[in-house]
Amino acid sequence: MTTLTNDQIRQLNMYSTYVSQPKHPLFTLEQLHQVDILPVIKTVTGIDKNAVAASYFMRRYGMFVSTQFVMFITYEEMWMGKANQVQFGAINEYGNMSVSTFISSIDYQDTSTFSPKVLVHHILHEQILPMIHALRNYSSVSPLTLWENVFGFMLWHFHVMLNTPSTAEIAREVLDLLKEDDMWTGISSHSLFATYLKGLEPSLLLNTKIRTTCCFSKDVPGLQACGFCPLQ
């Protein structure tokens, strides 16, 4: 167990992740793997299609899981709790009812004794892939769409960390790991993140039509098309 700083909590809050109990709890990560939660998401947000709801939720979860890279690269800490310790709750953000992530700060652990390879593998295979499998049990949304929903946030995080002297070296090491095909064994025959980057640096891809799939943000009440949309 570690103690998160105010700066760490602020960064989590910026990505709709809160270290508190939700006032309006909906379901846990454990329950998501057991039952169809898309009707709940549709009720909260006003979304009318399962594929749109699944993609929306992956973007919301992607905000949390992408900060895992920030936390272990910048602070040598990472959330390592269990599925029943992640709660999702309804919250009004910027005038829209949203589904956000609620966790406990006591589930962050010191990662200084873990290799970056182990941590990257854990995030990809234990924290992202199972979520994609669960959402696809109840919708026809493309797995690539769901992966790209996480990659959009990772792109920004790596842009920042690669351009920050204190994190540049380890961020480069982690980025190289994410580009290795072997890291994706069991998910894909090649690195999906390397394909996403198209051989370019993250900083060169900001504000470009980098996505190959649509995330359906344009179909969520109160939202607009994302800045990476290939349909624009």
Side-chain angles (χ1 to χ4, degrees), residues 58 128-137 142-143 146-147:
M58 194 67 196
I128 300 179
L129 183 62
M131 174 70 78
I132 290 175
H133 285 164
L135 292 175
R136 280 180 47 77
N137 283 335
S142 162
L146 300 179
W147 279 107

Side-chain angles (χ1 to χ4, degrees), residues 40-54:
V40 177
I41 296 172
K42 290 160 70 175
T43 298
V44 171
T45 61
I47 293 170
D48 61 359
K49 295 179 180 179
N50 279 4
V52 177

Side-chain angles (χ1 to χ4, degrees), residues 117-137:
K117 185 173 183 178
V118 168
L119 297 175
V120 171
H121 188 278
H122 181 76
I123 295 171
L124 295 180
H125 292 260
E126 303 299 330
Q127 297 186 339
I128 300 179
L129 183 62
M131 174 70 78
I132 290 175
H133 285 164
L135 292 175
R136 280 180 47 77
N137 283 335

Side-chain angles (χ1 to χ4, degrees), residues 53-73:
S55 181
Y56 164 85
F57 183 71
M58 194 67 196
R59 280 172 57 85
R60 303 297 293 180
Y61 179 73
M63 286 195 281
F64 158 62
V65 78
S66 68
T67 64
Q68 292 281 69
F69 293 100
V70 178
M71 291 299 169
F72 91 74
I73 291 173

Side-chain angles (χ1 to χ4, degrees), residues 71-203:
M71 291 299 169
F72 91 74
I73 291 173
T74 306
Y75 303 101
E76 294 189 318
E77 297 173 353
M78 196 168 89
W79 184 88
M80 301 286 274
K82 298 180 180 179
N84 63 358
Q85 296 168 316
V86 182
Q87 295 189 76
F88 299 97
I91 186 173
N92 190 305
E93 291 187 347
Y94 307 106
N96 297 315
M97 287 305 299
S98 306
V99 178
S100 294
T101 306
F102 294 81
I103 54 177
S104 174
S105 61
I106 66 173
D107 293 319
Y108 278 84
Q109 296 183 16
D110 186 326
T111 59
S112 60
T113 59
F114 293 89
S115 71
K117 185 173 183 178
V118 168
L119 297 175
V120 171
H121 188 278
H122 181 76
I123 295 171
L124 295 180
H125 292 260
E126 303 299 330
Q127 297 186 339
I128 300 179
L129 183 62
M131 174 70 78
I132 290 175
H133 285 164
L135 292 175
R136 280 180 47 77
N137 283 335
Y138 304 105
S139 75
S140 60
V141 65
S142 162
L144 182 57
T145 295
L146 300 179
W147 279 107
E148 289 190 340
N149 287 359
V150 181
F151 293 165
F153 299 112
M154 290 170 57
L155 184 75
W156 173 257
H157 292 320
F158 277 97
H159 155 71
V160 172
M161 293 187 291
L162 289 168
N163 286 283
T164 301
S166 60
T167 56
E169 183 176 354
I170 183 63
R172 177 63 62 188
E173 180 181 352
V174 172
L175 182 60
D176 288 343
L177 286 169
L178 284 164
K179 292 179 181 180
E180 292 182 3
D181 292 341
D182 287 349
M183 184 61 69
W184 295 81
T185 300
I187 299 175
S188 171
S189 61
H190 61 280
S191 167
L192 297 180
F193 198 54
T195 300
Y196 181 79
L197 294 175
K198 301 177 176 67
L200 299 174
E201 286 290 294
S203 297

